[in-house]
Structures are given as structure tokens and as C-alpha cells.
Amino acid sequence: MKTAAATRNAALRTALASACLAAATSAAQAADSIPAGARLAASCTGCHGTNGATQGNALPPLAGQPKEQLLAALKDFKAGKRQATIMTQLTKGYTDEQLEALASYFAAQRQGDAK
């Protein structure tokens, strides 16, 4: 027969396991709710600003540019057809599908919407 302490410990372990499972499920669902393009675009903010809304005129804004134009530029960087200081190296780390997700994301952003 289980003691009261053993029963409480078993109940506590069950509750803790349930809480961990719920937290893991919530985190996975939250990550799934962020579009792939938005996750990938996080690495672009250092140079191109939040959501591609570049401040100043040193670099072109990405927000609101036509998807086809952005995708062509990204693919040209990747292929070495368009020279740049760092974009040529960066784009080589992405698949064509990821470049398309980036282009779609930035095309859907509005210029001047730094979030």
C-alpha cells in the first residue's frame, strides 16, 4: 500500500510532466505561428532594419519591394552575378525556397513600418 507521501510525490510528478508537455506544445505552436520568412528575416535586421524598413539611404529598403525583384536580386547575389560586400556570402547559406520566403516576407511589409 502506498503511503500518503508516495501518493503526493506520484501526483506531483504527473502534474509536472503534464505542465512540461503543455509548455513544450505551446512553444512549438508559437514557433509554428511565426512565418518562415519572418524567422529568416531576423538575420537581416542588422543592416536592413526591422521588417526591411531601412533607415537612411546607405542601403535600399526591402519592405514593400516587389517579390520578383527581391527574389531576382537574392538569387543574383547567391550566383555571384551581383557583387556586394557581404550579401554574396550570406545568400549562399540559404536554399532557393528560403530566399523565396524572404522575398515574400519583405514584399508584404510596408515601407516605413519599423516594428
Side-chain angles (χ1 to χ4, degrees):
M1 189 182 305
K2 286 186 178 181
T3 65
T7 302
R8 276 194 310 270
N9 287 341
L12 184 57
R13 281 192 303 273
T14 301
L16 183 58
S18 295
C20 289
L21 179 60
T25 301
S26 295
Q29 288 172 340
D32 288 344
S33 69
I34 299 171
R39 284 194 301 270
L40 293 168
S43 63
C44 306
T45 60
C47 297
H48 291 283
T50 307
N51 295 341
T54 306
Q55 301 297 310
N57 58 7
L59 295 170
L62 303 178
Q65 298 299 319
K67 176 186 172 183
E68 296 77 20
Q69 179 181 326
L70 290 168
L71 185 56
L74 290 168
K75 286 184 174 183
D76 283 350
F77 284 128
K78 184 176 181 178
K81 294 178 185 176
R82 186 171 174 175
Q83 295 300 311
T85 304
I86 194 162
M87 285 302 298
T88 305
Q89 291 91 4
L90 290 175
T91 51
K92 288 180 182 179
Y94 292 101
T95 65
D96 287 346
E97 292 79 18
Q98 290 172 320
L99 294 178
E100 187 165 348
L102 280 166
S104 294
Y105 173 77
F106 285 123
Q109 305 307 304
R110 293 190 342 214
Q111 288 185 359
D113 272 359
K115 293 182 185 175

XYZ file of all heavy atoms in Angstrom:
810
model
N 0.838 -1.163 0.000
C 0.000 0.000 0.000
C 0.898 1.246 0.000
O 1.902 1.306 0.690
C -0.877 -0.005 1.255
C -1.911 1.069 1.185
S -2.977 1.228 2.622
C -3.669 -0.373 2.823
N 0.514 2.246 -0.810
C 1.303 3.464 -0.899
C 1.049 4.346 0.302
O -0.063 4.446 0.795
C 0.919 4.261 -2.154
C 1.417 3.678 -3.434
C 1.110 4.634 -4.571
C 1.647 4.105 -5.870
N 1.388 5.009 -6.970
N 2.098 5.015 0.720
C 1.955 5.978 1.802
C 1.415 7.273 1.229
O 1.421 7.494 0.005
C 3.307 6.244 2.477
O 4.164 6.873 1.534
C 3.933 4.966 2.998
N 0.972 8.151 2.079
C 0.454 9.448 1.641
C 1.540 10.243 0.923
O 1.291 10.907 -0.092
C -0.089 10.234 2.835
N 2.770 10.161 1.411
C 3.878 10.885 0.783
C 4.155 10.340 -0.612
O 4.396 11.102 -1.553
C 5.130 10.787 1.652
N 4.118 9.024 -0.785
C 4.355 8.420 -2.094
C 3.253 8.806 -3.069
O 3.515 9.076 -4.247
C 4.449 6.901 -1.962
N 2.030 8.866 -2.602
C 0.907 9.265 -3.456
C 1.051 10.717 -3.880
O 0.843 11.058 -5.048
C -0.430 9.055 -2.706
O -0.528 7.676 -2.332
C -1.606 9.421 -3.573
N 1.441 11.601 -2.937
C 1.648 13.015 -3.275
C 2.781 13.166 -4.279
O 2.690 13.940 -5.227
C 1.968 13.820 -2.010
C 0.775 14.278 -1.232
C 1.143 15.341 -0.200
N 2.265 14.965 0.640
C 2.186 14.306 1.791
N 1.008 13.955 2.257
N 3.271 13.999 2.473
N 3.885 12.425 -4.071
C 5.026 12.501 -4.993
C 4.627 12.045 -6.399
O 5.030 12.649 -7.393
C 6.197 11.674 -4.479
C 6.882 12.333 -3.296
O 6.728 13.530 -3.076
N 7.629 11.554 -2.538
N 3.851 10.973 -6.485
C 3.407 10.481 -7.788
C 2.500 11.514 -8.457
O 2.618 11.772 -9.656
C 2.682 9.145 -7.628
N 1.631 12.120 -7.687
C 0.733 13.149 -8.233
C 1.532 14.366 -8.679
O 1.244 14.963 -9.727
C -0.311 13.536 -7.195
N 2.535 14.734 -7.908
C 3.382 15.876 -8.257
C 4.156 15.597 -9.538
O 4.244 16.462 -10.419
C 4.335 16.186 -7.102
C 5.228 17.409 -7.276
C 4.404 18.659 -7.513
C 6.106 17.588 -6.045
N 4.709 14.401 -9.670
C 5.438 14.040 -10.897
C 4.509 14.073 -12.107
O 4.877 14.562 -13.172
C 6.082 12.658 -10.759
C 7.368 12.664 -9.945
C 8.115 11.344 -10.084
N 7.326 10.188 -9.704
C 7.214 9.703 -8.483
N 7.858 10.280 -7.486
N 6.482 8.644 -8.239
N 3.311 13.569 -11.949
C 2.343 13.581 -13.046
C 1.982 15.005 -13.427
O 1.933 15.354 -14.611
C 1.071 12.802 -12.655
O 1.441 11.457 -12.336
C 0.053 12.804 -13.770
N 1.745 15.858 -12.448
C 1.410 17.255 -12.717
C 2.568 17.979 -13.383
O 2.381 18.756 -14.326
C 1.023 17.961 -11.416
N 3.780 17.720 -12.923
C 4.965 18.347 -13.507
C 5.172 17.892 -14.951
O 5.449 18.709 -15.832
C 6.197 18.024 -12.663
C 7.509 18.671 -13.099
C 7.381 20.188 -13.110
C 8.632 18.253 -12.171
N 4.994 16.608 -15.199
C 5.135 16.092 -16.567
C 4.085 16.711 -17.481
O 4.378 17.086 -18.623
C 5.025 14.575 -16.572
N 2.862 16.847 -16.981
C 1.802 17.461 -17.778
C 2.104 18.925 -18.080
O 1.890 19.401 -19.195
C 0.456 17.374 -17.041
O 0.083 16.026 -16.913
N 2.627 19.634 -17.095
C 2.975 21.046 -17.292
C 4.101 21.191 -18.311
O 4.065 22.078 -19.177
C 3.371 21.686 -15.965
N 5.101 20.325 -18.236
C 6.205 20.371 -19.201
C 5.713 20.076 -20.609
O 6.110 20.748 -21.571
C 7.297 19.380 -18.819
S 8.225 19.879 -17.350
N 4.841 19.110 -20.738
C 4.301 18.775 -22.052
C 3.479 19.939 -22.600
O 3.603 20.293 -23.770
C 3.438 17.509 -21.962
C 2.789 17.049 -23.265
C 3.861 16.746 -24.310
C 1.924 15.837 -23.022
N 2.680 20.566 -21.751
C 1.880 21.710 -22.190
C 2.772 22.874 -22.607
O 2.527 23.535 -23.620
C 0.930 22.141 -21.078
N 3.831 23.130 -21.856
C 4.755 24.219 -22.191
C 5.472 23.939 -23.504
O 5.619 24.829 -24.347
C 5.767 24.423 -21.066
N 5.902 22.704 -23.703
C 6.586 22.351 -24.945
C 5.648 22.466 -26.132
O 6.027 22.954 -27.195
C 7.157 20.939 -24.849
N 4.413 22.047 -25.959
C 3.425 22.147 -27.031
C 3.137 23.599 -27.356
O 3.071 23.986 -28.521
C 2.126 21.415 -26.630
O 2.452 20.045 -26.363
C 1.087 21.485 -27.725
N 2.994 24.445 -26.325
C 2.742 25.863 -26.546
C 3.900 26.527 -27.268
O 3.701 27.341 -28.168
C 2.490 26.582 -25.222
O 1.317 26.106 -24.629
N 5.123 26.201 -26.897
C 6.295 26.782 -27.547
C 6.358 26.354 -29.007
O 6.664 27.163 -29.887
C 7.567 26.366 -26.812
N 6.064 25.100 -29.276
C 6.082 24.613 -30.659
C 4.996 25.291 -31.475
O 5.221 25.680 -32.624
C 5.904 23.100 -30.689
N 3.815 25.462 -30.882
C 2.733 26.134 -31.597
C 3.072 27.595 -31.840
O 2.772 28.132 -32.900
C 1.426 26.017 -30.819
C 0.854 24.612 -30.846
C -0.329 24.455 -29.919
O -0.535 25.235 -28.995
N -1.111 23.418 -30.156
N 3.720 28.254 -30.888
C 4.111 29.654 -31.067
C 5.134 29.773 -32.185
O 5.055 30.678 -33.015
C 4.678 30.221 -29.764
N 6.091 28.859 -32.236
C 7.094 28.889 -33.305
C 6.438 28.637 -34.650
O 6.812 29.240 -35.655
C 8.182 27.859 -33.041
N 5.454 27.743 -34.688
C 4.751 27.461 -35.939
C 3.923 28.652 -36.402
O 3.657 28.785 -37.586
C 3.842 26.241 -35.778
C 4.630 24.939 -35.700
O 5.822 24.936 -36.067
O 4.053 23.936 -35.259
N 3.506 29.521 -35.481
C 2.681 30.660 -35.861
C 3.508 31.785 -36.482
O 2.955 32.701 -37.065
C 1.897 31.179 -34.651
O 2.777 31.775 -33.720
N 4.825 31.730 -36.368
C 5.699 32.734 -36.974
C 6.046 32.242 -38.371
O 6.622 31.168 -38.527
C 6.978 32.936 -36.148
C 6.621 33.420 -34.748
C 7.914 33.922 -36.840
C 7.792 33.445 -33.796
N 5.690 33.016 -39.405
C 6.001 32.577 -40.770
C 7.501 32.365 -40.971
O 8.326 33.058 -40.368
C 5.502 33.732 -41.639
C 4.576 34.520 -40.780
C 5.023 34.300 -39.365
N 7.832 31.414 -41.830
C 9.242 31.095 -42.089
C 10.004 32.331 -42.547
O 11.138 32.555 -42.130
C 9.340 29.990 -43.133
N 9.394 33.144 -43.396
C 10.056 34.348 -43.884
C 10.414 35.301 -42.764
O 11.485 35.906 -42.766
N 9.526 35.423 -41.782
C 9.790 36.313 -40.647
C 10.944 35.789 -39.800
O 11.783 36.562 -39.340
C 8.533 36.472 -39.794
N 10.995 34.472 -39.607
C 12.109 33.898 -38.839
C 13.430 34.120 -39.568
O 14.434 34.494 -38.969
C 11.881 32.407 -38.597
C 10.861 32.103 -37.528
C 10.919 30.656 -37.087
N 10.706 29.702 -38.142
C 9.511 29.224 -38.495
N 8.429 29.630 -37.872
N 9.411 28.349 -39.476
N 13.427 33.894 -40.869
C 14.649 34.077 -41.649
C 15.058 35.547 -41.704
O 16.244 35.868 -41.694
C 14.448 33.546 -43.075
C 14.263 32.041 -43.208
C 13.794 31.690 -44.613
C 15.540 31.307 -42.867
N 14.073 36.435 -41.779
C 14.351 37.872 -41.914
C 14.994 38.464 -40.666
O 15.593 39.538 -40.741
C 13.062 38.622 -42.237
N 14.919 37.769 -39.558
C 15.524 38.295 -38.332
C 17.014 38.539 -38.507
O 17.576 39.466 -37.938
C 15.272 37.336 -37.168
N 17.662 37.739 -39.347
C 19.097 37.917 -39.556
C 19.419 39.111 -40.454
O 20.566 39.514 -40.556
C 19.713 36.643 -40.143
O 19.163 36.378 -41.409
N 18.417 39.693 -41.078
C 18.622 40.825 -41.991
C 18.517 42.178 -41.282
O 18.909 43.205 -41.847
C 17.588 40.788 -43.122
S 17.548 39.228 -44.026
N 17.982 42.175 -40.069
C 17.679 43.437 -39.399
C 18.908 44.279 -39.075
O 18.809 45.503 -39.021
C 16.889 43.203 -38.092
O 17.675 42.401 -37.217
C 15.562 42.537 -38.365
N 20.051 43.652 -38.877
C 21.257 44.409 -38.540
C 21.616 45.440 -39.594
O 22.059 46.539 -39.267
N 21.416 45.100 -40.846
C 21.766 46.020 -41.941
C 20.545 46.683 -42.574
O 20.605 47.845 -42.972
C 22.530 45.269 -43.030
S 24.105 44.592 -42.489
N 19.456 45.930 -42.699
C 18.296 46.420 -43.441
C 17.158 46.890 -42.559
O 16.088 47.231 -43.062
C 17.799 45.342 -44.406
C 18.757 45.088 -45.530
N 18.876 45.927 -46.608
C 19.667 44.095 -45.718
C 19.806 45.461 -47.429
N 20.306 44.355 -46.907
N 17.357 46.915 -41.256
C 16.334 47.415 -40.349
C 15.236 46.402 -40.086
O 15.094 45.411 -40.784
N 14.458 46.690 -39.070
C 13.354 45.826 -38.689
C 12.328 45.773 -39.810
O 11.933 46.796 -40.344
C 12.691 46.351 -37.396
O 13.709 46.510 -36.420
C 11.635 45.401 -36.883
N 11.923 44.588 -40.181
C 10.948 44.356 -41.244
C 11.380 44.917 -42.590
O 10.548 45.197 -43.445
C 9.569 44.898 -40.855
C 8.986 44.157 -39.682
O 9.408 43.050 -39.381
N 8.037 44.748 -39.016
N 12.669 45.140 -42.765
C 13.174 45.626 -44.042
C 12.963 47.105 -44.272
O 13.179 47.610 -45.363
N 12.549 47.805 -43.235
C 12.315 49.251 -43.337
C 13.618 49.972 -42.998
O 13.792 50.506 -41.912
C 11.188 49.674 -42.403
N 14.542 49.968 -43.953
C 15.864 50.543 -43.765
C 15.766 52.024 -43.411
O 15.007 52.767 -44.020
C 16.693 50.382 -45.053
O 16.682 49.014 -45.418
C 18.119 50.830 -44.856
N 16.534 52.432 -42.425
C 16.606 53.840 -42.050
C 17.785 54.475 -42.784
O 18.849 53.887 -42.873
C 16.781 53.987 -40.532
C 15.657 53.368 -39.731
C 14.317 54.016 -39.996
O 14.192 55.238 -39.950
N 13.327 53.206 -40.312
N 17.598 55.674 -43.297
C 18.664 56.334 -44.038
C 18.702 55.836 -45.472
O 17.804 55.129 -45.934
N 19.762 56.205 -46.184
C 19.828 55.810 -47.587
C 21.105 55.031 -47.938
O 21.445 54.899 -49.104
C 19.689 57.044 -48.483
C 20.760 58.080 -48.209
O 21.689 57.837 -47.439
N 20.623 59.240 -48.826
N 21.791 54.519 -46.948
C 23.012 53.751 -47.211
C 22.691 52.409 -47.872
O 23.441 51.940 -48.716
C 23.790 53.529 -45.922
N 21.587 51.796 -47.497
C 21.163 50.514 -48.061
C 19.721 50.637 -48.542
O 18.924 51.374 -47.949
C 21.245 49.401 -47.011
C 22.640 49.059 -46.511
C 22.559 48.134 -45.316
C 23.463 48.425 -47.616
N 19.368 49.907 -49.563
C 17.991 50.009 -50.065
C 16.998 49.370 -49.099
O 17.304 48.355 -48.471
C 18.041 49.230 -51.381
C 19.161 48.278 -51.208
C 20.170 48.970 -50.344
N 15.802 49.962 -48.985
C 14.777 49.320 -48.161
C 14.294 48.046 -48.842
O 14.224 47.983 -50.079
C 13.664 50.363 -48.085
C 13.853 51.212 -49.301
C 15.323 51.200 -49.587
N 14.009 47.047 -48.066
C 13.474 45.807 -48.609
C 11.955 45.780 -48.515
O 11.289 45.160 -49.336
C 14.064 44.610 -47.854
C 15.589 44.510 -47.846
C 16.033 43.308 -47.021
C 16.146 44.452 -49.249
N 11.419 46.455 -47.519
C 9.978 46.454 -47.277
C 9.223 47.023 -48.468
O 9.558 48.079 -48.989
C 9.652 47.272 -46.029
N 8.209 46.282 -48.886
C 7.328 46.755 -49.935
C 7.852 46.632 -51.350
O 7.158 46.990 -52.302
N 9.055 46.116 -51.520
C 9.578 45.921 -52.872
C 8.869 44.718 -53.505
O 8.451 43.797 -52.818
C 11.086 45.669 -52.839
C 11.893 46.812 -52.276
C 11.733 48.087 -53.087
O 11.704 48.063 -54.307
N 11.591 49.197 -52.386
N 8.716 44.712 -54.814
C 8.067 43.565 -55.468
C 8.823 42.262 -55.189
O 10.055 42.223 -55.237
C 8.132 43.916 -56.961
C 8.300 45.398 -57.003
C 9.080 45.757 -55.763
N 8.075 41.216 -54.892
C 8.667 39.919 -54.563
C 9.618 39.449 -55.659
O 10.717 38.986 -55.370
C 7.567 38.881 -54.349
C 8.100 37.487 -54.110
C 7.003 36.462 -54.045
C 7.601 35.067 -54.009
N 6.589 34.030 -54.009
N 9.205 39.571 -56.915
C 10.025 39.090 -58.028
C 11.354 39.833 -58.091
O 12.396 39.237 -58.377
C 9.269 39.246 -59.358
C 8.018 38.392 -59.449
C 6.830 38.958 -58.665
O 6.806 40.182 -58.357
O 5.933 38.159 -58.339
N 11.324 41.126 -57.818
C 12.538 41.938 -57.826
C 13.480 41.517 -56.699
O 14.688 41.356 -56.903
C 12.168 43.413 -57.679
C 13.340 44.364 -57.661
C 12.875 45.804 -57.488
O 11.823 46.201 -57.965
N 13.665 46.582 -56.768
N 12.921 41.337 -55.509
C 13.733 40.907 -54.369
C 14.327 39.521 -54.611
O 15.514 39.296 -54.363
C 12.887 40.891 -53.090
C 12.475 42.244 -52.534
C 11.406 42.074 -51.456
C 13.680 42.974 -51.975
N 13.500 38.605 -55.091
C 13.969 37.238 -55.317
C 15.064 37.206 -56.389
O 16.066 36.511 -56.229
C 12.805 36.328 -55.706
C 13.134 34.847 -55.856
C 13.764 34.288 -54.575
C 11.884 34.072 -56.233
N 14.885 37.983 -57.451
C 15.908 38.031 -58.503
C 17.227 38.558 -57.942
O 18.300 38.018 -58.241
C 15.429 38.897 -59.662
N 17.157 39.606 -57.112
C 18.373 40.171 -56.520
C 19.049 39.149 -55.605
O 20.271 38.963 -55.659
C 18.050 41.450 -55.754
N 18.263 38.468 -54.769
C 18.825 37.473 -53.859
C 19.490 36.330 -54.627
O 20.593 35.889 -54.288
C 17.740 36.928 -52.924
C 17.230 37.902 -51.867
C 15.974 37.360 -51.196
C 18.305 38.210 -50.851
N 18.835 35.859 -55.680
C 19.410 34.779 -56.479
C 20.667 35.243 -57.219
O 21.613 34.475 -57.376
C 18.370 34.231 -57.447
C 17.328 33.371 -56.760
C 16.363 32.766 -57.752
C 15.432 31.787 -57.062
N 14.521 31.125 -58.019
N 20.661 36.499 -57.664
C 21.862 37.037 -58.324
C 23.032 37.130 -57.351
O 24.175 36.835 -57.712
C 21.568 38.408 -58.945
C 20.788 38.310 -60.247
O 20.625 37.191 -60.785
O 20.328 39.370 -60.723
N 22.751 37.543 -56.102
C 23.810 37.558 -55.084
C 24.355 36.149 -54.887
O 25.562 35.929 -54.862
C 23.293 38.092 -53.746
C 23.119 39.580 -53.679
C 21.925 40.132 -53.251
C 24.157 40.450 -53.997
C 21.763 41.502 -53.155
C 24.004 41.818 -53.906
C 22.804 42.354 -53.487
N 23.439 35.194 -54.750
C 23.835 33.812 -54.481
C 24.679 33.239 -55.618
O 25.649 32.517 -55.378
C 22.589 32.947 -54.263
C 22.885 31.513 -53.872
C 21.612 30.740 -53.581
C 21.921 29.317 -53.173
N 20.716 28.568 -52.841
N 24.322 33.570 -56.839
C 25.036 33.047 -58.011
C 26.316 33.815 -58.309
O 27.093 33.419 -59.174
C 24.121 33.086 -59.226
N 26.536 34.929 -57.601
C 27.724 35.730 -57.841
C 27.579 36.680 -59.019
O 28.549 37.309 -59.442
N 26.358 36.816 -59.546
C 26.111 37.714 -60.681
C 26.030 39.171 -60.230
O 26.197 40.075 -61.037
C 24.799 37.348 -61.378
C 24.819 36.004 -62.054
C 23.470 35.715 -62.680
C 23.418 34.324 -63.275
N 22.071 34.013 -63.788
N 25.723 39.369 -58.977
C 25.613 40.713 -58.416
C 26.602 40.791 -57.263
O 26.499 40.038 -56.299
C 24.175 40.952 -57.946
C 23.917 42.341 -57.479
C 22.429 42.553 -57.249
N 22.207 43.862 -56.668
C 21.026 44.373 -56.435
N 19.935 43.684 -56.728
N 20.900 45.562 -55.902
N 27.549 41.692 -57.357
C 28.600 41.796 -56.350
C 28.146 42.653 -55.171
O 27.426 43.630 -55.350
C 29.861 42.382 -56.970
C 30.477 41.489 -58.035
C 30.869 40.125 -57.496
O 31.525 40.019 -56.476
N 30.433 39.073 -58.177
N 28.587 42.259 -54.006
C 28.294 43.004 -52.787
C 29.344 42.642 -51.748
O 30.042 41.633 -51.877
C 26.906 42.669 -52.269
N 29.433 43.460 -50.726
C 30.407 43.207 -49.685
C 30.099 41.930 -48.919
O 30.976 41.100 -48.696
C 30.454 44.399 -48.707
O 30.726 45.568 -49.458
C 31.515 44.212 -47.654
N 28.833 41.749 -48.532
C 28.505 40.599 -47.694
C 27.343 39.758 -48.217
O 27.248 38.575 -47.936
C 28.224 41.057 -46.243
C 28.223 39.862 -45.299
C 26.926 41.826 -46.146
C 28.375 40.206 -43.863
N 26.457 40.338 -49.014
C 25.266 39.608 -49.467
C 25.616 38.358 -50.274
O 24.908 37.350 -50.195
C 24.348 40.522 -50.279
C 23.573 41.514 -49.434
S 22.525 40.734 -48.177
C 21.405 39.788 -49.196
N 26.693 38.386 -51.030
C 27.093 37.220 -51.819
C 27.361 36.030 -50.900
O 26.919 34.915 -51.180
C 28.342 37.548 -52.666
O 28.054 38.699 -53.445
C 28.714 36.406 -53.575
N 28.050 36.285 -49.797
C 28.330 35.191 -48.855
C 27.070 34.763 -48.103
O 26.843 33.571 -47.901
C 29.405 35.609 -47.843
C 30.774 35.769 -48.435
C 31.028 37.195 -48.913
O 30.207 38.086 -48.729
N 32.157 37.404 -49.549
N 26.265 35.720 -47.677
C 25.070 35.389 -46.893
C 24.077 34.547 -47.679
O 23.544 33.562 -47.168
C 24.381 36.664 -46.401
C 25.108 37.455 -45.323
C 24.375 38.747 -45.030
C 25.254 36.632 -44.063
N 23.800 34.945 -48.903
C 22.778 34.244 -49.675
C 23.171 32.813 -50.011
O 22.289 31.970 -50.208
C 22.451 35.002 -50.976
O 23.667 35.281 -51.669
C 21.701 36.289 -50.686
N 24.448 32.517 -50.041
C 24.884 31.142 -50.317
C 24.462 30.187 -49.210
O 24.401 28.975 -49.419
C 26.397 31.087 -50.533
C 26.803 31.700 -51.852
C 28.295 31.643 -52.062
C 28.638 32.323 -53.375
N 30.053 32.325 -53.653
N 24.138 30.710 -48.049
C 23.705 29.879 -46.935
C 22.222 29.553 -46.939
O 21.748 28.843 -46.053
N 21.495 30.058 -47.928
C 20.045 29.829 -47.990
C 19.688 28.972 -49.194
O 20.312 29.069 -50.247
C 19.291 31.165 -48.113
C 19.380 32.031 -46.882
C 20.252 33.112 -46.823
C 18.584 31.774 -45.776
C 20.337 33.908 -45.701
C 18.660 32.569 -44.639
C 19.534 33.630 -44.609
O 19.620 34.416 -43.494
N 18.647 28.166 -49.036
C 18.108 27.425 -50.176
C 17.274 28.387 -51.017
O 16.907 29.483 -50.553
C 17.203 26.273 -49.706
O 16.049 26.825 -49.052
C 17.941 25.311 -48.772
N 16.940 27.981 -52.235
C 16.086 28.818 -53.073
C 14.712 29.011 -52.429
O 14.111 30.080 -52.543
C 15.941 28.220 -54.474
C 17.212 28.371 -55.308
O 18.102 29.167 -54.915
O 17.305 27.714 -56.355
N 14.221 27.988 -51.738
C 12.925 28.097 -51.047
C 12.998 29.129 -49.921
O 12.056 29.888 -49.696
C 12.489 26.734 -50.496
C 12.143 25.713 -51.565
C 13.365 25.043 -52.202
O 14.490 25.089 -51.631
O 13.196 24.471 -53.297
N 14.110 29.158 -49.211
C 14.277 30.147 -48.143
C 14.400 31.553 -48.720
O 13.848 32.500 -48.153
C 15.503 29.805 -47.294
C 15.301 28.570 -46.441
C 16.571 28.129 -45.757
O 17.664 28.168 -46.332
N 16.444 27.691 -44.501
N 15.089 31.694 -49.837
C 15.180 33.011 -50.477
C 13.799 33.475 -50.920
O 13.459 34.655 -50.789
C 16.139 32.969 -51.667
C 17.614 32.719 -51.337
C 18.443 32.658 -52.618
C 18.159 33.782 -50.391
N 12.993 32.552 -51.418
C 11.625 32.906 -51.822
C 10.800 33.327 -50.609
O 10.021 34.278 -50.683
C 10.961 31.746 -52.549
C 9.627 32.144 -53.128
C 9.089 31.160 -54.159
O 9.822 30.275 -54.608
O 7.911 31.316 -54.500
N 10.969 32.630 -49.490
C 10.251 33.006 -48.263
C 10.672 34.402 -47.803
O 9.833 35.205 -47.378
C 10.503 31.977 -47.163
N 11.954 34.711 -47.888
C 12.443 36.043 -47.529
C 11.844 37.104 -48.446
O 11.368 38.146 -47.981
C 13.974 36.105 -47.617
C 14.740 35.537 -46.443
C 16.207 35.362 -46.807
C 14.593 36.434 -45.236
N 11.868 36.845 -49.747
C 11.325 37.813 -50.709
C 9.841 38.033 -50.463
O 9.362 39.177 -50.487
C 11.579 37.325 -52.134
N 9.112 36.969 -50.194
C 7.672 37.093 -49.914
C 7.427 37.912 -48.660
O 6.536 38.768 -48.616
C 7.036 35.712 -49.745
O 7.072 35.002 -50.949
N 8.216 37.628 -47.629
C 8.054 38.345 -46.367
C 8.296 39.841 -46.552
O 7.480 40.672 -46.155
C 9.004 37.785 -45.305
C 8.988 38.601 -44.036
C 7.943 38.493 -43.129
C 10.006 39.516 -43.763
C 7.911 39.257 -41.984
C 9.977 40.279 -42.613
C 8.928 40.146 -41.731
O 8.888 40.925 -40.599
N 9.427 40.208 -47.141
C 9.747 41.628 -47.294
C 8.791 42.324 -48.251
O 8.452 43.490 -48.043
C 11.200 41.816 -47.726
C 12.174 41.577 -46.617
C 13.169 40.627 -46.742
C 12.107 42.299 -45.430
C 14.071 40.391 -45.723
C 13.008 42.070 -44.394
C 13.988 41.113 -44.535
N 8.324 41.643 -49.273
C 7.368 42.249 -50.204
C 6.050 42.575 -49.496
O 5.380 43.561 -49.843
C 7.121 41.310 -51.372
N 5.697 41.781 -48.487
C 4.437 42.009 -47.765
C 4.531 43.104 -46.717
O 3.513 43.555 -46.188
C 3.997 40.699 -47.104
N 5.736 43.565 -46.398
C 5.920 44.618 -45.396
C 5.680 45.983 -46.035
O 5.882 46.161 -47.221
C 7.318 44.556 -44.796
C 7.707 43.226 -44.205
C 6.711 42.711 -43.202
O 6.391 43.367 -42.223
N 6.194 41.510 -43.462
N 5.250 46.929 -45.220
C 5.068 48.296 -45.719
C 6.296 49.124 -45.414
O 6.881 49.006 -44.340
C 3.833 48.924 -45.063
C 2.552 48.277 -45.487
C 1.321 49.028 -45.057
N 1.551 49.979 -43.992
C 0.689 50.277 -43.040
N -0.461 49.670 -42.996
N 0.963 51.155 -42.126
N 6.668 49.953 -46.374
C 7.822 50.832 -46.156
C 7.521 51.766 -44.997
O 6.404 52.255 -44.857
C 8.128 51.640 -47.411
C 8.725 50.817 -48.506
C 9.134 51.645 -49.703
O 8.960 52.844 -49.741
N 9.700 50.983 -50.694
N 8.519 51.991 -44.172
C 8.357 52.896 -43.035
C 7.726 52.264 -41.813
O 7.509 52.927 -40.822
N 7.426 50.964 -41.862
C 6.817 50.267 -40.727
C 7.874 49.552 -39.909
O 7.923 48.341 -39.867
C 5.802 49.231 -41.189
C 4.418 49.807 -41.363
O 4.249 51.016 -41.109
O 3.508 49.060 -41.756
N 8.738 50.280 -39.265
C 9.728 49.657 -38.393
C 9.037 49.238 -37.123
O 8.516 50.064 -36.390
C 10.874 50.623 -38.100
N 8.979 47.938 -36.870
C 8.309 47.426 -35.672
C 9.315 47.103 -34.612
O 10.403 46.738 -34.862
C 7.521 46.165 -36.008
C 6.347 46.449 -36.924
C 5.597 45.171 -37.173
C 4.482 45.388 -38.178
N 3.814 44.180 -38.534
